[in-house]
Amino acid sequence: MTYEIICAGFGGQGVMLIGQLLAYGGMLEGKEVTWFPSYGPEMRGGTANCSVVVSDQPVGSPVVAEPDGLIALNGPSLMRFMGSVKPGGVIVYNASLINEVPEDRPEVRLFGIAANELAEKLGNDKVGNMIALGAFLGLSKVVGLASIEAALKEVLPERRHHLIPLNISALHKGWALVEG
Amino acid sequence: MERVMMKGNEALAEGAIRAGCRFFFGYPITPQNEIPEYMARRLPEVGGVFLQAESEVSAINMVYGAGGAGARVLTSSSGPGISLKLEGISYIAGAQVPCVIVNVARGGPGLGGLTPSQADYFQATKGGGHGDYRLLVYAPGNAQEMVDLMGLAFDKAEEYRNPVMILTDAIMGQMMEPVVLPPLRTVTAEQPWATTGKQGRKKPNLINSLGIVGEELERINIELQAKYDRMAAAEARYEADGTAEADLIVVAYGTSSRVARSAIARLRQEGKKVGLFRPVTLWPFPQAVLASLAADGKRFLVVEMSAGQLVEDVILAVNDRAKVSFFGKLNGTVPTVREVYDRIRSLLPEGGEG
Amino acid sequence: MKKIFAYPRALTQKRTHYCPGCTHGIIHRLVAEAIDDLDIQERTIGIAPVGCAVLAYDYFDLDFQEAAHGRAPAVATGIKRVHPEAIVFSYQGDGDLASIGMAEIIHAAARGEKITVIFVNNTVYGMTGGQMAPTTLPGQKTTTSPYGRDTATVGYPIRVCELLATLDGPAYLARVSVHDPAHIVRAGKAIRQAFAMQMAGKGFSLVEVLSSCPTNWGMTPVQALSWIKEKMIPYYPLGVFRAPEEVTGDDV
């Protein structure tokens, strides 16, 4: 079983971080994982994305072209990647910044969350990425919530560790949205 | 064993530290900057020296000095920087000084681009600089091999008193994967041939690549070639996955081998017999194994991010005993799994044009 | 009987390949005497250049590394960082140091690299047959400036000591000459001073030695020595360009 994910958004929205958490969480579950960032000129224009592969076998290509899952935190990212998501796949997008879904994909599970507003309600507008990740985990079940919580300690630098409880609440908030 | 996530470039750097490397001389160039940045942070922690040189040329000559003085020393760069280093690499090979050189390759020629490429294969494996010399060239296929082959590279560099290159690319360098790190080795720089000051020795030690008197140069070259023969006989490494039963064998290294592995996994699910042959040493090239697979009637597809460089070594190895096809990507674009899948299918007996 | 003169221990007894009247031999001897005097032969490592002194390792009884053209300061840097307790020196000519190796020498000096550089300036590329060097004087004829160095088209000679003296890194910079016995004695003192600086961990030290090349200048050895005095010294004034306070200019 191999599960491929693209996380995409504006620079500063924390898409690299949620990608790393997915990979790290997968590793903590004993799976084979890769994380690959967009870099160099691709980063111009303020958009960023990363590819994550979680598998029970050694991972082949770390560059994901046809993802099983997509987390799109802004409009351009949804526009660019939603067409490539495999039938039966999952898309979580940020409804705070996307009023209209650009394409019709009836064979894909599409879930919009108002990440910005929900994050503000939690008291920190930076955790919209975590809410989206929580929702994505709830839908895809690719990595367990507990593994992501454990990964936070490894991925976040020491000076950010005081924010771990807030990040965990945000993850649960997102998870609850899709479970509820 | 504890697994940690590391970027390929950082895995190379930490692998060097674990192998006892305590000296790094380099110059900034994308996409390898994580290596010097990591070393600048890490080497002082283990009592080592990081120095950012004024140029690629100076960096490789600092490596020549430090390696000649007996230390485990590393430098890293990317294509345009390696081109500048070639003068020094030729001297280092000629003077038989051990060191490790990393090329995190990007697209060329000229200034090229920052995207990944495998177009420096010839430069790495066929000499590059002036004169008849060889580097031992490793091509890691994952982050774990970045660590493990780095350790091996230092050991082999010392064993043969020869520069060793690790040839990888931007994707492998930027990608994060879990690795298990080996314990930290402390290596004392006590080589009997190294320049240390005479220290009571009767004869001074000389590190030199000059053979200007009489037939000295011929003698030096005969000695070098004998060493390269020993390396060719003992050091070829490869991974062969399902090659014995395969109808078609994909030959690829580095990022291309990763893409090929994904495509092959899909084809195997469809019951196709496709193998993967991944050279781990690009020089010496694992020629004999490919020759015997060719003699068994296999067909080959070489996948590369270049206009066709590895494919020449495959053709030489196969030596007209089998058909060799080629699929290359230019301009630093990575072949997609679907592209490679389609190409393999088209070559399979029941797959259409094949 | 008291021995008052001997062959320096830091030299091998091998006959050199230098041309008759060339002053490389004198400079080798001054370097060896300084090494003997400071008792550092067992911990000194030399870097040979590309140029006439390419075989310097045959003449010094010291560990040596041969460098590519101009790269000696980078090689010396690598060695010194591995063996900080060793005394490391490069021996370089003007084409090597001031042309193809200009980046290496400037940056080694700027870093205050704790090495010693013996810079032999004879205004020509000697080994390759007398081509124009970065230190060739205005109007001087060489094989690649057959009508005399024309400053309007190829520019002006480079004064290395003055150039390096603009940097904060060097601890000791001096220019000396070996055209007569009095100057040879002073040159020896400067070279000894440069090594002593390194031993004291002060930083980068360089001694520029004005040297003769009778063969490529097309002169007799005696004419060549006069030419240093009459033509070179006016363009390349002798003196100490950088030294710690405790070292005075009188030492040269």
Side-chain angles (χ1 to χ4, degrees), chain A:
Chain A
M1 176 66 194
T2 296
Y3 197 93
E4 301 181 314
I5 306 146
I6 290 176
C7 306
F10 290 125
Q13 282 187 307
V15 294
M16 297 300 187
L17 175 67
I18 57 175
Q20 286 189 8
L21 287 170
L22 278 164
Y24 226 110
M27 181 188 80
L28 293 176
E29 293 181 1
K31 300 204 172 95
E32 299 297 335
V33 295
T34 57
W35 173 87
F36 177 72
S38 57
Y39 70 97
E42 232 199 312
M43 299 286 278
R44 298 221 183 93
T47 62
N49 72 79
C50 60
S51 294
V52 177
V53 183
V54 180
S55 180
D56 47 20
Q57 291 158 40
V59 179
S61 178
V63 185
V64 173
E66 297 165 40
D68 300 285
L70 169 67
I71 302 174
L73 294 187
N74 67 3
S77 298
L78 187 64
M79 181 92 89
R80 179 171 165 195
F81 293 112
M82 81 174 291
S84 62
V85 176
K86 280 183 203 148
V90 174
I91 298 174
V92 170
Y93 67 93
N94 183 5
S96 304
L97 298 180
I98 300 163
N99 297 326
E100 210 175 319
V101 174
E103 244 179 275
D104 198 24
R105 290 292 309 268
E107 77 291 13
V108 167
R109 278 190 295 167
L110 247 157
F111 200 84
I113 56 160
N116 296 24
E117 288 80 7
L118 290 165
E120 269 167 44
K121 270 189 212 160
L122 282 174
N124 187 327
D125 57 5
K126 294 261 194 280
V127 295
N129 60 338
M130 290 294 159
I131 299 171
L133 176 59
F136 179 76
L137 291 170
L139 290 168
S140 68
K141 303 283 194 310
V142 58
V143 178
L145 207 48
S147 309
I148 301 290
E149 289 176 16
L152 276 167
K153 269 200 297 290
E154 309 296 331
V155 173
L156 286 178
E158 200 92 36
R159 62 176 197 283
R160 295 268 155 77
H161 279 194
H162 66 283
L163 295 170
I164 289 177
L166 174 69
N167 279 289
I168 291 176
S169 322
L171 282 167
H172 284 268
K173 179 87 192 162
W175 180 284
L177 289 174
V178 299
E179 290 284 282

Side-chain angles (χ1 to χ4, degrees), chain B residues 23 51 54 57-58 61-62 64-66 68-69 71 87 91 195-201 204-208 210, chain C residues 41-42 44-45 54-55 57 61-66 68 71 74-75 77-79 81-83 103-104 107 111:
Chain B
F23 296 88
L51 187 62
E54 61 271 22
V57 174
S58 288
N61 281 285
M62 290 173 187
Y64 171 56
E87 174 202 51
Y91 276 71
T195 53
T196 55
K198 278 173 64 187
Q199 309 283 4
R201 260 185 277 110
N205 281 344
L206 174 64
I207 303 288
N208 186 18
L210 183 68
Chain C
Q41 183 180 7
E42 298 300 311
T44 296
I45 303 164
V54 70
L55 295 174
Y57 53 76
D61 188 16
L62 301 168
D63 277 11
F64 249 82
Q65 267 185 243
E66 171 64 51
R71 317 298 178 221
V75 177
T77 298
I79 297 172
R81 298 296 177 121
V82 173
H83 299 304
E104 284 78 3
H107 284 273
R111 281 195 302 271

Side-chain angles (χ1 to χ4, degrees), chain B:
Chain B
M1 291 293 252
E2 197 203 350
R3 295 197 300 171
V4 290
M5 288 286 280
M6 287 191 106
K7 267 194 173 190
N9 283 338
E10 293 178 345
L12 285 169
E14 184 60 32
I17 298 279
R18 302 275 166 150
C21 169
R22 293 293 175 271
F23 296 88
F24 182 95
F25 303 97
Y27 186 81
I29 181 171
T30 306
Q32 61 82 56
N33 293 317
E34 290 85 358
I35 300 175
E37 286 166 3
Y38 190 94
M39 287 308 226
R41 212 165 52 233
R42 186 79 170 95
L43 273 167
E45 291 177 358
V46 291
V49 173
F50 167 86
L51 187 62
Q52 182 170 317
E54 61 271 22
S55 67
E56 297 280 5
V57 174
S58 288
I60 194 68
N61 281 285
M62 290 173 187
V63 166
Y64 171 56
R72 290 200 161 191
V73 55
L74 177 73
T75 187
S76 64
S77 190
S78 187
I82 298 290
S83 294
L84 281 165
K85 285 189 196 298
L86 285 172
E87 174 202 51
I89 293 174
S90 170
Y91 276 71
I92 290 169
Q96 304 205 57
V97 168
C99 69
V100 179
I101 303 147
V102 173
N103 181 0
V104 184
R106 58 189 242 180
L111 197 48
L114 304 180
T115 42
S117 168
Q118 295 181 317
D120 295 351
Y121 180 93
F122 283 158
Q123 187 198 52
T125 60
K126 311 288 178 188
H130 58 285
D132 265 330
Y133 75 88
R134 293 289 187 178
L135 308 177
L136 182 55
V137 184
Y138 290 116
N142 53 50
Q144 187 64 54
E145 280 190 356
M146 296 277 208
V147 175
D148 297 343
L149 291 175
M150 181 60 87
L152 193 65
F154 276 105
D155 292 342
K156 293 297 173 188
E158 260 172 36
E159 180 182 337
Y160 291 103
R161 283 188 61 183
N162 206 69
V164 177
M165 178 172 277
I166 294 184
L167 179 62
T168 184
D169 63 66
I171 297 249
M172 299 292 298
Q174 296 295 325
M175 175 184 66
M176 265 184 151
E177 262 186 329
V179 293
V180 176
L181 292 168
L184 193 69
R185 278 198 275 168
T186 309
V187 181
T188 48
E190 280 171 23
Q191 305 294 347
W193 45 261
T195 53
T196 55
K198 278 173 64 187
Q199 309 283 4
R201 260 185 277 110
K202 210 168 157 57
K203 266 193 72 179
N205 281 344
L206 174 64
I207 303 288
N208 186 18
S209 61
L210 183 68
I212 205 166
V213 180
E215 277 149 23
E216 203 182 345
L217 188 59
E218 190 183 20
R219 182 191 59 70
I220 292 169
N221 270 299
I222 289 170
E223 184 188 315
L224 285 175
Q225 292 305 319
K227 179 173 81 172
Y228 302 147
D229 287 347
R230 287 201 309 280
M231 289 161 73
E235 299 304 332
R237 283 168 185 260
Y238 60 93
E239 180 200 347
D241 172 12
T243 50
E245 59 278 5
D247 294 322
L248 182 131
I249 296 169
V250 179
V251 185
Y253 68 99
T255 291
S256 298
S257 74
R258 307 278 304 226
V259 177
R261 200 186 296 280
S262 292
I264 290 167
R266 277 194 206 176
L267 285 150
R268 285 181 183 165
Q269 278 172 5
E270 295 165 18
K272 310 284 188 219
K273 289 180 185 159
V274 185
L276 175 67
F277 185 86
R278 178 172 71 90
V280 174
T281 49
L282 301 182
W283 196 90
F285 191 70
Q287 207 163 12
V289 197
L290 272 182
S292 88
L293 285 167
D296 290 346
K298 308 295 184 189
R299 298 184 60 181
F300 298 90
L301 169 67
V302 179
V303 179
E304 279 182 87
M305 297 188 295
S306 79
Q309 301 192 14
L310 165 69
V311 67
E312 290 194 6
D313 277 340
V314 176
I315 289 169
L316 278 171
V318 159
N319 196 12
D320 268 351
R321 280 172 292 226
K323 188 163 182 235
V324 178
S325 305
F326 172 70
F327 179 60
K329 288 291 269 189
L330 301 172
N331 191 28
T333 47
V334 183
T336 63
V337 174
R338 179 165 297 278
E339 282 174 321
V340 176
Y341 168 94
D342 287 345
R343 179 58 66 101
I344 297 171
R345 277 218 64 152
S346 77
L347 293 169
L348 289 172
E350 66 274 41
E353 68 187 66

Side-chain angles (χ1 to χ4, degrees), chain C residues 192-205:
Chain C
R192 189 186 183 285
Q193 188 61 257
F195 279 103
M197 287 289 164
Q198 184 180 167
M199 290 171 73
K202 299 273 188 207
F204 180 88
S205 57

